[in-house]
Amino acid sequence: MFFKLPWTSRFRYPQGGALLLMICLWPGSRAFSQTDGGPIDQIAGGQSRTYPVRGTVVDSVTAQPIARVLVNGQQDAVLTDKEGKFDLQLPGGTAQILLERPGYGQPGLSAQHIVQVAPDMPALTFQLTPNAVISGQVTLPSADTADSIPILIYRKIVNNGHSQWTMQQMAMTNSEGVFRVSGLLPGPYLVYTQPQRDQEDNRSPALKSFGYPAVYYPGVVDPSAASVLTLTAGQHAHADLPLMRQPFYSVTVNINAQEFGRGLALQLCDAGGHMLGFPIRQNGRQGTAQFSVPDGSYFLQAMGGFQGANASQARTYGRIDFKVAGAPVTGLSITPLPLHPVPVNVRKDFTAVSATLQQSGLGEGGPALAAGLSMVLTPADDFSNPTGGGGNLQLQKGGSSFELDAVTPGRYWVTTFAFEGYVSAITSGGVDLAREPLVIGPGSTSPPIEITLRNDTGMIQVQLSDQAHTAAMYPASQPPGEQTQSYIYAIPLFPFSGQVMQAGASPSGEFTIGNLPPGTYRVVAFDAPEEIDFHSPESLAKYAGQGDTVTVEAGATANVQVHLGKSLNPDND
């Protein structure tokens, strides 16, 4: 969050006073206390000795100073002056300094810097990454005003190790059809308008009406033909969207009337998986759903027992795909089917049972512990299924096997988290789920998921080639100034249903990545966190020239030396 300060640009915290802080750490980073760097100097009365910490905050793109940045050293905080300069008084030892300024960094999170405070501190220079902006104008071919048209902004992120488009922001056009979306991180984006339809005559819903369909930048209705805007730090991109007025046609879908008493929820989506905000008229007595859409491809989902007082009932799900081409559509029907659990069979091919497992009583702490792993289902389509996937691992009733509870039909990547060892094989109906998505058919029909766990793991000992960077993780051995943070990853170069493993630091100054399946890895080291989709050849290609490869043998330790590089994540530009 961004702290609002009084008119004065400086405030100090009283000695002995309490202050509640929310500290956001990047994945893989560790919290630093003020004793990490050794004993703090003491002065009379037991108070900590403080030292001046001075520096400048600059724009990472222009290198120009940034005024009115909140520089928060927790024991002291100031706003930078017009030259971007700040002056703090902090106790000796390791300090965490947080920077915040609207228009810079990840919205809602502070930029974090770790500093070793001591006498004769050198001047510091902190960089902030400016946000990107997308603006544009929606134009209509008639006298209609393009006012209050919703604009949706999607960004591609890595979700459970797989890239997926996720909605980031929504804006509305003004009376001139102009929109502006700020506070965007670097990366790939899609821009599109939500469809707009004229006021419908409810007395004659079958009559043809008019409106504007959803349009993707640069002005196409087919999601697969949309252009991706790849933004860099501080970039201002333009995305004009021309809309064409089109007729809307009535679509009628027959649904089992009994389903309307089960808290039936209907969702209308375009071919790209985006939910459309068109009203759907439900007639429980006739068992029909009716709505109007322009030409294009769509699907309607019907879900029973998902919401309201009926949410505890057995869930049902049905879907119908259809196309509208210049005429009303009738004769469609959906038959929602009960969702059933998907069987999960786990075989533990362990070479030995670890003392940790014996002491923890694994198998007595719930289904996931008994199975030795947890599982997450991530939609495999570009855009997330609005219903979600379900998929909580549980024990079968009256049995010792496991199952995933009611899973909505669709295609899912399966990500596993083994509590000991690793998943050496995961299949369903002969399909390797480390390579291909799990397909759930109507009524949650799917062959059982077969999982083999092994614990003949190995490890990698990593040494950074630049010893100064390695020692930077240990402030006690460092001179005063900012401390470089290191993020080290072992990227599997083989099919794997787990996640990319990240290093932990040892007191020796080396980095250890343990509990690794045997195989070949690319080990990389960066100065900021990375989002790595190791399932995508395109994503892996980015790291081809980074770090080094190493092969891990069962039960053995591999050694590798790598150089600390600059993060390839566009968020960290």
Side-chain angles (χ1 to χ4, degrees):
M1 70 174 61
F2 182 77
F3 297 95
K4 284 193 174 180
L5 300 180
W7 288 111
T8 176
S9 65
R10 180 181 201 85
F11 57 89
R12 297 187 182 279
Y13 307 128
Q15 292 287 342
L19 176 69
L20 179 63
L21 290 176
M22 178 176 291
I23 301 175
C24 299
L25 297 179
W26 290 107
S29 65
R30 66 190 186 102
F32 289 83
S33 70
Q34 292 191 347
T35 60
D36 283 348
I40 297 176
D41 294 339
Q42 300 290 315
I43 59 178
Q47 295 181 342
S48 300
R49 186 185 304 277
T50 63
Y51 303 99
V53 178
R54 302 184 178 94
T56 307
V57 181
V58 300
D59 186 297
S60 67
V61 175
T62 66
Q64 295 299 307
I66 309 173
R68 298 191 65 78
V69 177
L70 175 62
V71 183
N72 183 0
Q74 302 184 56
Q75 298 297 315
D76 190 13
V78 297
L79 290 175
T80 58
D81 62 19
K82 63 181 180 181
E83 296 179 345
K85 296 186 180 301
F86 63 89
D87 182 357
L88 301 171
Q89 285 290 135
L90 298 178
T94 302
Q96 183 184 64
I97 297 179
L98 305 178
L99 306 181
E100 291 190 34
R101 175 71 160 86
Y104 289 86
Q106 187 167 352
L109 294 179
S110 304
Q112 172 187 279
H113 296 266
I114 305 302
V115 173
Q116 185 72 10
V117 179
D120 303 320
M121 285 283 294
L124 302 173
T125 300
F126 295 144
Q127 293 186 341
L128 279 180
T129 301
N131 295 145
V133 175
I134 297 177
S135 65
Q137 184 172 22
V138 175
T139 57
L140 305 180
S142 65
D144 292 349
T145 59
D147 185 19
S148 301
I149 295 178
I151 307 294
L152 276 67
I153 308 294
Y154 275 73
R155 182 174 185 267
K156 181 166 282 189
I157 64 172
V158 176
N159 182 17
N160 290 321
H162 295 272
S163 297
Q164 190 174 55
W165 289 104
T166 303
M167 195 181 83
Q168 294 291 290
Q169 291 195 40
M170 187 179 81
M172 304 292 285
T173 59
N174 63 17
S175 59
E176 297 178 347
V178 174
F179 67 92
R180 187 178 189 275
V181 181
S182 59
L184 300 175
L185 298 173
Y189 288 87
L190 286 178
V191 182
Y192 86 106
T193 66
Q194 281 195 329
Q196 301 290 302
R197 185 167 56 83
D198 295 345
Q199 185 69 32
E200 184 173 316
D201 187 349
N202 291 322
R203 296 169 299 176
S204 303
L207 292 177
K208 182 172 63 176
S209 58
F210 290 83
Y212 297 95
V215 171
Y216 296 78
Y217 175 77
V220 297
V221 296
D222 182 359
S224 63
S227 293
V228 176
L229 289 173
T230 302
L231 304 184
T232 58
Q235 180 181 355
H236 187 163
H238 293 273
D240 293 336
L241 296 161
L243 301 187
M244 296 296 294
R245 187 174 177 81
Q246 293 186 13
F248 278 50
Y249 299 95
S250 173
V251 177
T252 303
V253 181
N254 297 308
I255 303 173
N256 186 331
Q258 187 176 10
E259 289 294 324
F260 284 91
R262 296 172 41 80
L264 187 69
L266 299 177
Q267 291 179 343
L268 176 64
C269 303
D270 66 14
H274 299 117
M275 283 191 295
L276 303 177
F278 297 139
I280 301 176
R281 296 177 298 277
Q282 301 183 37
N283 189 322
R285 192 179 314 176
Q286 297 180 2
T288 61
Q290 192 174 52
F291 47 89
S292 296
V293 292
D295 287 352
S297 297
Y298 307 89
F299 63 87
L300 180 70
Q301 300 180 120
M303 297 154 287
F306 274 70
Q307 61 184 11
N310 299 292
S312 60
Q313 295 182 4
R315 295 182 175 183
T316 60
Y317 177 88
R319 167 173 165 162
I320 183 68
D321 292 75
F322 61 95
K323 186 174 183 179
V324 177
V329 177
T330 59
L332 301 177
S333 63
I334 293 180
T335 304
L337 299 175
L339 297 183
H340 300 291
V342 177
V344 178
N345 300 319
V346 180
R347 183 173 70 91
K348 297 178 181 179
D349 188 11
F350 286 172
T351 57
V353 178
S354 72
T356 301
L357 286 178
Q358 291 175 343
Q359 293 173 5
S360 66
L362 194 61
E364 300 176 358
L369 287 178
L373 80 161
S374 61
M375 303 168 63
V376 173
L377 302 185
T378 302
D381 297 324
D382 279 344
F383 295 90
S384 176
N385 188 321
T387 63
N392 294 317
L393 193 65
Q394 59 189 21
L395 283 168
Q396 288 183 345
K397 293 181 179 180
S400 58
S401 296
F402 306 94
E403 61 187 17
L404 294 175
D405 65 1
V407 182
T408 303
R411 300 167 62 249
Y412 299 94
W413 295 113
V414 181
T415 305
T416 57
F417 304 86
F419 302 143
E420 184 196 14
Y422 61 96
V423 173
S424 64
I426 177 168
T427 62
S428 177
V431 175
D432 184 356
L433 298 183
R435 298 176 182 267
E436 303 292 336
L438 171 70
V439 178
I440 304 294
S444 295
T445 55
S446 173
I449 299 175
E450 306 287 347
I451 296 176
T452 300
L453 287 173
R454 293 182 60 88
N455 64 351
D456 55 342
T457 58
M459 64 177 60
I460 300 176
Q461 286 285 112
V462 185
Q463 179 73 56
L464 292 181
S465 57
D466 187 335
Q467 291 296 322
H469 288 316
T470 303
M473 291 297 294
Y474 308 95
S477 63
Q478 287 297 291
E482 184 174 6
Q483 309 301 298
T484 302
Q485 298 187 65
S486 303
Y487 299 82
I488 301 178
Y489 302 90
I491 305 174
L493 301 181
F494 53 90
F496 182 48
S497 65
Q499 290 193 314
V500 173
M501 298 295 287
Q502 187 174 340
S506 68
S508 66
E510 296 178 328
F511 298 83
T512 302
I513 309 177
N515 204 38
L516 293 173
T520 301
Y521 295 82
R522 179 170 294 280
V523 181
V524 294
F526 296 106
D527 61 355
E530 283 286 303
E531 287 187 346
I532 301 175
D533 177 1
F534 70 95
H535 302 87
S536 163
E538 178 184 348
S539 177
L540 282 179
K542 295 193 308 182
Y543 303 98
Q546 304 290 325
D548 201 357
T549 58
V550 63
T551 298
V552 176
E553 304 289 346
T557 299
N559 295 278
V560 66
Q561 188 177 83
V562 297
H563 171 70
L564 182 69
K566 183 173 176 56
S567 172
L568 302 181
N569 189 340
D571 290 7
N572 303 312
D573 286 352

